[in-house]
Amino acid sequence: MEIKQKLREFIQDHLTTLEEEVDLKDDDHIFELGFVDSLFAMQLVGFIQNEFQIEIESADLDLANFQSIDRMVAFIHEKKSG
C-alpha cells in the first residue's frame, strides 16, 4: 500500500467529526478544517514514525509538515531521502 493511502486510512479512522463520510482531499488542511485535534497530532507523529520507519525530531514538529496528506507524503519522502 502506498504512503498516501496509509495516511488517508489512518486519518479517516481518527477523524473527530460527526459526519459519517468525509471527502478528505489530499491538500485539505486537516487541522484548520477541524477534522483532527492536538491529541491526534501526537498520534499521527507516532504513526508516521512507526509505519514509515523514520525519526521525527523536535525541529520537524512544524504544523506545516502535517497539515495535509500531500504535505505529509512530501515530508516522509524528505526524511527517507535525507
Side-chain angles (χ1 to χ4, degrees):
M1 184 182 308
E2 69 175 89
I3 293 173
K4 191 175 281 192
Q5 185 61 33
K6 287 181 181 182
L7 287 169
R8 177 180 299 286
E9 286 182 10
F10 182 80
I11 292 168
Q12 288 183 320
D13 286 347
H14 293 84
L15 290 178
T16 56
T17 180
L18 299 176
E19 297 176 33
E20 286 292 319
E21 295 242 351
V22 174
D23 183 22
L24 184 64
K25 296 172 186 61
D26 293 341
D27 62 347
D28 280 348
H29 193 302
I30 60 174
F31 295 96
E32 283 183 359
L33 292 173
F35 289 152
V36 296
D37 57 22
S38 57
L39 176 60
F40 173 76
M42 297 312 297
Q43 293 171 323
L44 181 60
V45 167
F47 170 77
I48 290 172
Q49 286 187 120
N50 292 330
E51 185 68 32
F52 303 107
Q53 301 298 303
I54 60 174
E55 185 171 338
I56 298 176
E57 301 170 19
S58 295
D60 298 324
L61 295 176
D62 182 344
L63 187 60
N65 290 329
F66 305 95
Q67 69 187 16
S68 69
I69 292 173
D70 283 341
R71 187 60 203 119
M72 285 182 262
V73 169
F75 171 71
I76 292 166
H77 284 300
E78 290 168 15
K79 293 297 284 185
K80 285 188 158 292
S81 67

